[in-house]
Amino acid sequence: MATYVLIHGAADSGWYWHLVEAELRDRGHDVVAPDLPCEDDSAGLAEYTDTVVEAIGDRTDLVVVAQSLGGFTAPLVCDQVPADLLVLLAAMVPRPGEPPGAWWANSGYKQARREQAERDGPAPDDDIALFLHDVPPDLAAEAMRRSRGQSGTPMEEPWPLPAWPEVPTRFLLCRDDRFFPAEFMRRMVRERLAIAPDEMDGGHCVALSRPRELADRLEAFRSGQLHPLVVPQDSQTKQEPAGRMRTPQVEQ
């Protein structure tokens, strides 16, 4: 039995994972899905990390999974607990010294969104169409009712680790994500983690739209049924594979 540690994104709660949690518990696993203190202006990345570590307690056999902004917290958790695996799901990938608020420009996201708008038209201007377009309407409405405020405090804090933690890392990309375009994410993952992402269908909130399929993927990662993908030989990345990453320079 493993313990899955599920970390939600910005302005959200542990409820985001409730369907995946049920799938994993049905398969005999323990699950921890805490609410981060995202509405608390006194809470930064350290407090987010402490919240998760405290929820884990003395559990072992940890698989840490993080969605969206949770990508800034999950490696900090893995630096403090003996995780067996880290899975980033449609997540932001930080660099040493980089505040989450600077990620958008540093990663090339803003340019990618401009290019996408030129090619496909402007992104949807309502949250359901942008984040929850493939989620059943009643469930999407419930997700909107449960949304929380997001303090800007952690957005200004430099990511504190000097390098990626020594933990095997997988990245699961959602091909139908309207918020984090797939083409941009493929490039960002190769540049920042020096791995090729795994991929599945679904939008940004795939834990609500495809919980069983997501649980299947997580179980395959945990059991080693899916072997790590190799970065193509023509990749321009200069970094070592995730789990053995050198300290890169933060882009300005």
Side-chain angles (χ1 to χ4, degrees), residues 171-175 182 186 197-201 217 229:
F171 193 102
L172 184 54
L173 176 153
C174 298
R175 299 188 191 97
R186 292 183 188 107
D198 295 278
E199 301 188 14
M200 66 179 289
D201 293 335
R217 289 298 191 102
L229 299 179

Side-chain angles (χ1 to χ4, degrees), residues 36-70:
L36 300 181
C38 60
E39 296 173 298
D40 184 353
D41 286 333
S42 69
L45 294 174
E47 287 73 24
Y48 285 33
T49 303
D50 289 346
T51 297
V52 180
V53 171
E54 289 171 7
I56 293 170
D58 60 359
R59 294 175 174 86
T60 58
D61 302 314
L62 305 176
V63 178
V64 178
V65 185
Q67 189 251 4
S68 201
L69 179 63

Side-chain angles (χ1 to χ4, degrees), residues 49-50 103 111 123 145-146 166 191 208 214 239 242 245 248:
T49 303
D50 289 346
W103 178 90
Q111 177 63 29
R145 285 193 293 270
R146 290 176 175 270
E166 292 285 341
E191 289 179 353
L208 295 174
L214 176 55
Q239 297 171 3
M245 184 182 292

Side-chain angles (χ1 to χ4, degrees), residues 27-226:
R27 302 173 198 211
H29 302 297
D30 193 7
V31 178
V32 175
D35 293 343
L36 300 181
C38 60
E39 296 173 298
D40 184 353
D41 286 333
S42 69
L45 294 174
E47 287 73 24
Y48 285 33
T49 303
D50 289 346
T51 297
V52 180
V53 171
E54 289 171 7
I56 293 170
D58 60 359
R59 294 175 174 86
T60 58
D61 302 314
L62 305 176
V63 178
V64 178
V65 185
Q67 189 251 4
S68 201
L69 179 63
F72 269 80
T73 299
L76 304 180
V77 172
C78 292
D79 190 55
Q80 295 191 27
V81 300
D84 296 329
L85 178 66
L86 169 58
V87 180
L88 299 174
L89 172 66
M92 300 163 75
V93 178
R95 280 180 167 169
E98 180 179 61
W103 178 90
W104 309 95
N106 290 350
S107 66
Y109 173 81
K110 292 182 177 180
Q111 177 63 29
R113 285 298 296 268
R114 284 194 293 268
E115 293 172 355
Q116 183 187 41
E118 292 172 359
R119 183 177 63 250
D120 302 328
D125 58 4
D126 72 273
D127 286 346
I128 286 183
L130 184 61
F131 297 104
L132 300 157
H133 59 93
D134 59 341
V135 176
D138 290 348
L139 190 58
E142 180 67 15
M144 293 299 298
R145 285 193 293 270
R146 290 176 175 270
S147 65
R148 304 160 65 201
Q150 175 59 58
S151 169
T153 298
M155 307 304 175
E156 306 304 319
E157 296 183 355
W159 195 66
L161 293 185
W164 201 257
E166 292 285 341
V167 57
T169 301
R170 304 295 295 254
F171 193 102
L172 184 54
L173 176 153
C174 298
R175 299 188 191 97
D176 307 310
D177 194 334
R178 294 177 176 176
F179 185 57
F180 286 159
E183 183 177 350
F184 157 73
M185 294 297 271
R186 292 183 188 107
R187 175 181 58 77
M188 188 268 299
V189 171
R190 285 176 168 86
E191 289 179 353
R192 294 196 165 211
L193 293 176
I195 62 175
D198 295 278
E199 301 188 14
M200 66 179 289
D201 293 335
H204 193 67
C205 294
V206 72
L208 295 174
S209 63
R210 296 172 179 264
R212 180 173 297 178
E213 182 178 347
L214 176 55
D216 288 343
R217 289 298 191 102
L218 296 178
E219 280 287 81
F221 292 156
R222 181 189 63 83
S223 64
Q225 294 174 22
L226 295 179

